[in-house]
Amino acid sequence: MHQDMILRVQQIRRALEAAAVPRWGRAPQIIAVSKTVDAQRVNAVQEAGIFRLGENRAQEILEKLPHLNASFQIDFIGRLQNNKVKYIIDKVGMIQSLDRMSLAQEIDRRAQQRALRMPVLVQVNIGDEPQKGGVPVSELFAFVRQAAMLPGLEIRGLMAVMPDIKEEARLRPCFVRMRALFDALKEENVAGVRMEELSMGMSGDYLLAAQEGATHVRIGSAIFGARAYGAPAGRIDDTLKGDIYS
Ligand SMILES: *Cc1c(COP(=O)(O)O)cnc(C)c1O
């Protein structure tokens, strides 16, 4: 029944391996973006060797987590409000969408309360789009140096959501620029920072990402099919309600 999904993962993995360039090391790993997909279908992709999931809403994570195989790691990949950090801090393995200092401070505070160090990626606004999240390129190095001083989080790399550009000739330079920023930050050797992950590329452009040096691609619809939006079924603890639905 879920064989189609498993086949798609295998096809994508083969295509990534064929597109990857030796200079970047191994082909990018797949993070399956499981937002809006019910837990049963999500669980099936583990058979295809996927162990990381991307989710973008705190509420959905809380509802889905009890039904997911325990060996998945959830990566938070969406806009994260400061007041939601406390709900997800001990449920996700990484926050990929760190894009401002107030969020870094809140992650730091909540992680320290639980005596953990949260792995994060710094999201970069590579297309310089005002409507999109991400640290502006011009502020990236200063941001990394400052956030690296917070003991409750550990910077593991960079993440980008590419601008919505169809022409490859205009989109490719965004990937190239992200890889250059990633390498430059690695060179900097900022204390406490491990520049290991470069998360870029989605269903429409993962081959470009592989060619230009992504270490991780975040793929949703190409694995699970088109997303059906609407509230996922399930109830939530009343104590959370006011805040989490806001
Ligand atoms: C939804 C989403 C994805 C996956 O998008 P697809 O086009 O379905 O692969 C990747 N990254 C982020 C941040 C997302 O919100």
Side-chain angles (χ1 to χ4, degrees), residues 14-27:
R14 274 198 298 274
L16 286 168
E17 276 159 14
V21 176
R23 138 175 76 129
W24 307 127
R26 63 176 191 172

Side-chain angles (χ1 to χ4, degrees), residues 33 35 56 77 159 161 202-203 218-221 227:
V33 176
K35 61 191 186 195
N56 67 349
I77 61 169
M159 183 272 245
V161 178
M202 321 200 313
S203 291
R218 307 178 308 272
I219 301 184
S221 47
R227 279 181 289 276

Side-chain angles (χ1 to χ4, degrees), residues 33 113 217 220:
V33 176
Q113 283 174 353
V217 290

Side-chain angles (χ1 to χ4, degrees), residues 117 144-150 153-155 185-186 188-194:
R117 194 159 187 226
V144 168
R145 283 187 213 110
Q146 202 184 340
M149 292 191 281
L150 300 170
L153 53 85
E154 179 171 52
I155 298 176
L185 271 167
K186 209 190 280 192
E188 280 252 321
N189 254 322
V190 181
V193 171
R194 283 163 57 187

